Amino acid sequence: MTDMTAPVPPDAPPPDANLFAETYTPLTAHEATVEANRCLYCFDAPCLQACPTHIDIPTFIRKISTGNLRGSARTILEANFLGGTCARVCPVQELCEGACVLNAEEKPIQIGRLQRYAVDHVQERGVQLFQPGTPTGHSVAVVGSGPAGLSAAAELAKLGHAVTLLEKRELGGGLSTYGIIVLREPVEVSLREVEAVRALGVDVQTNREVSSRADLDALLAEHGAVVLAVGLGAVPAMGMPGEEHVTDGLQFIEDSKVSADTLHVGQRVAVIGAGNTAIDAATIARRHGADVTMVYRRTEAEMTAYRHEYEFALHEGIRYQFLTQPVSVVTEGDRVTGLECVKMVLGVPDASGRPSPRPLPGSGFVIPCDQVITAIGQEKPALAVELGLGLENGYIAVDDAMQTSLPRVYAGGDCVRARGTASTVMAVQDGKYAAAAIHQQLAQKEAAHG
């Protein structure tokens, strides 16, 4: 049988002593100027078209080259209010940098790092580039303060609407605060964006959960419209023996960000899954000195993680065990000692279009480990059913204006991502679309009433 275990590269670095440093250091003023001057400032810039929020990339880079960082940041944030987060977490290799014309002959412009340079310049100094719009007399409630919610709230406030932003957690920022590892985005970056929304006059109320149709009806009675940006649920159960001893990947990442002192990391860790979240969880464990093996039932070709993330993990010294399906967690008392697995073979494509894996009889084996982390996606938004919303493949169904099946109720972000890839930048664009549609709806209502 072919060994589908990815080897550890001989040049894999030891665990990083500084566990809390971003992977990419900030550009210096000199580095940013040199990089900005490499840009060709294309008239029909393919990078701009590749950006889901359509940031005017040539313009913001040109402003960096002339030292106008405030103007550069304004250009970015006008199109994407979460420009600081997206500069760090966007898959730029797949989007703007991947479309850069310089790919053909040399390396592309470092658009993400330049964007971070400009946005951090103003946000670290507390500079407010935008003001609330002239009051319209209308109010909107936004449920959820992740990227879609923050984006919608900011755009609505700039248009002059009174916005109340409800967040069930103690901190705002959603996945940016709790679910993206520090190596990519420190907590303070996402919290700066929450404060920037507050500076626009948005009433941000934490520890406020909407959990029933009665809660939604109360919001609709008080506000002209409601935006649901509620994200997704927990990592789903796998239904295997010993699962009560498994660590939830999202909780593991959250603990590494907001409860680092109590984070438990084993010495030999098995991570189930092959998406970006699984890689993030594996990276945390590896940086804490663990021997890490990622377990995936298909092959490298079917992974949902981006290619550059896969290669990053290999460079960290993380092993991959492909064509492997976990079947139970092996324990001695309350102590995990291994992950029992079977080998898989690929068959005909399933509903996802990927080859369906099936177990190979008699191929059982055990991966020795003292911690098992699962990161196999997230459950669909259960709140949608509770609120009586129309669904599409389990996600909240919306039209082109981001309106749900209920009048005056809009939604955006991961909770509506029935098609395409869920990402921070797409959530930001959803928020912009919803805000524009609500603004139009409220203006039409006002005109109809004379």
Side-chain angles (χ1 to χ4, degrees):
M1 183 189 303
T2 303
D3 183 6
M4 295 301 294
T5 303
V8 179
D11 60 344
D16 195 329
N18 188 352
L19 299 174
F20 305 105
E22 289 190 72
T23 300
Y24 295 107
T25 56
L27 294 174
T28 65
H30 175 71
E31 288 170 336
T33 301
V34 169
E35 188 66 11
N37 282 319
R38 289 181 58 233
C39 184
L40 302 179
Y41 312 122
C42 305
F43 174 73
D44 55 347
C47 57
L48 191 160
Q49 302 306 320
C51 173
T53 55
H54 305 302
I55 295 172
D56 189 342
I57 294 169
T59 295
F60 96 67
I61 293 179
R62 187 187 296 273
K63 289 179 178 178
I64 291 176
S65 73
T66 62
N68 181 8
L69 299 187
R70 186 177 179 129
S72 177
R74 176 179 283 277
T75 297
I76 296 163
L77 297 173
E78 279 177 341
N80 183 334
F81 200 78
L82 277 74
T85 286
C86 287
R88 291 167 164 83
V89 307
C90 266
V92 291
Q93 296 90 335
E94 316 293 327
L95 299 172
C96 55
E97 292 182 18
C100 179
V101 297
L102 291 179
N103 273 303
E105 298 177 6
E106 50 183 312
K107 65 178 183 178
I109 301 297
Q110 297 180 70
I111 298 169
R113 297 185 74 189
L114 287 172
Q115 179 171 312
R116 171 183 164 186
Y117 177 74
V119 173
D120 283 2
H121 175 81
V122 297
Q123 291 190 339
E124 287 173 354
R125 292 162 176 76
V127 176
Q128 301 301 328
L129 298 176
F130 306 99
Q131 300 297 322
T134 302
T136 63
H138 298 292
S139 68
V140 180
V142 179
V143 182
S145 67
L150 288 177
S151 175
E155 299 306 320
L156 286 163
K158 288 194 288 183
L159 290 166
H161 304 298
V163 182
T164 300
L165 181 58
L166 307 179
E167 168 54 53
K168 69 178 181 179
R169 306 292 296 269
E170 181 181 355
L171 300 174
L175 204 63
S176 299
T177 295
Y178 291 102
I180 296 174
I181 60 173
V182 172
L183 298 177
R184 306 192 200 289
E185 181 178 19
V187 171
E188 56 267 23
V189 174
S190 57
L191 295 185
R192 281 201 305 253
E193 292 170 335
V194 177
E195 291 309 308
V197 169
R198 273 200 176 100
L200 285 171
V202 174
D203 179 14
V204 180
Q205 300 180 9
T206 55
N207 298 308
R208 284 287 310 275
E209 184 170 8
V210 173
S211 58
S212 68
R213 182 59 182 266
D215 292 340
L216 177 60
D217 288 342
L219 290 177
L220 287 169
E222 186 179 350
H223 302 280
V226 173
V227 179
L228 300 175
V230 295
L232 295 173
V235 175
M238 293 188 67
M240 63 182 180
E243 190 163 11
E244 65 273 18
H245 300 287
V246 166
T247 301
D248 179 300
L250 284 173
Q251 186 64 51
F252 185 70
I253 293 170
E254 178 179 327
D255 290 346
S256 77
K257 296 195 77 174
V258 299
S259 307
D261 291 342
T262 59
L263 178 70
H264 167 69
V265 181
Q267 293 183 319
R268 304 178 77 176
V269 178
V271 178
I272 304 171
N276 296 316
T277 300
I279 288 177
D280 281 355
T283 300
I284 293 168
R286 180 64 182 144
R287 288 289 178 106
H288 279 79
D291 179 19
V292 183
T293 300
M294 295 188 68
V295 181
Y296 182 47
R297 61 182 181 163
R298 293 186 172 96
T299 73
E300 173 191 336
E302 289 81 37
M303 289 174 63
T304 56
Y306 295 115
R307 177 75 194 182
H308 64 273
E309 298 287 6
Y310 168 59
E311 292 174 352
F312 171 84
L314 285 178
H315 185 68
E316 287 286 303
I318 294 167
R319 296 182 180 86
Y320 281 81
Q321 187 84 36
F322 293 117
L323 291 174
T324 301
Q325 174 69 52
V327 293
S328 71
V329 179
V330 182
T331 59
E332 292 181 3
D334 288 334
R335 187 170 62 90
V336 173
T337 60
L339 182 64
E340 184 179 356
C341 303
V342 294
K343 283 291 184 181
M344 307 294 281
V345 292
L346 296 183
V348 298
D350 60 15
S352 72
R354 296 178 296 172
S356 56
R358 66 178 189 273
L360 186 65
S363 64
F365 67 102
V366 174
I367 298 174
C369 61
D370 57 8
Q371 185 177 27
V372 176
I373 299 172
T374 180
I376 54 171
Q378 290 176 261
E379 293 176 339
K380 307 294 174 57
L383 182 62
V385 177
E386 188 69 31
L387 299 182
L389 299 170
L391 302 178
E392 181 180 356
N393 297 328
Y395 298 88
I396 298 174
V398 292
D399 61 18
D400 291 341
M402 311 308 295
Q403 184 161 320
T404 70
S405 58
L406 297 179
R408 299 191 293 126
V409 179
Y410 297 75
D414 289 356
C415 64
V416 306
R417 197 64 61 219
R419 294 179 301 277
T421 303
S423 66
T424 297
V425 70
M426 290 301 298
V428 171
Q429 189 69 354
D430 285 351
K432 288 168 58 181
Y433 283 143
I438 290 169
H439 181 64
Q440 183 178 29
Q441 172 214 311
L442 294 175
Q444 289 172 345
K445 177 183 177 182
E446 189 171 303
H449 288 79

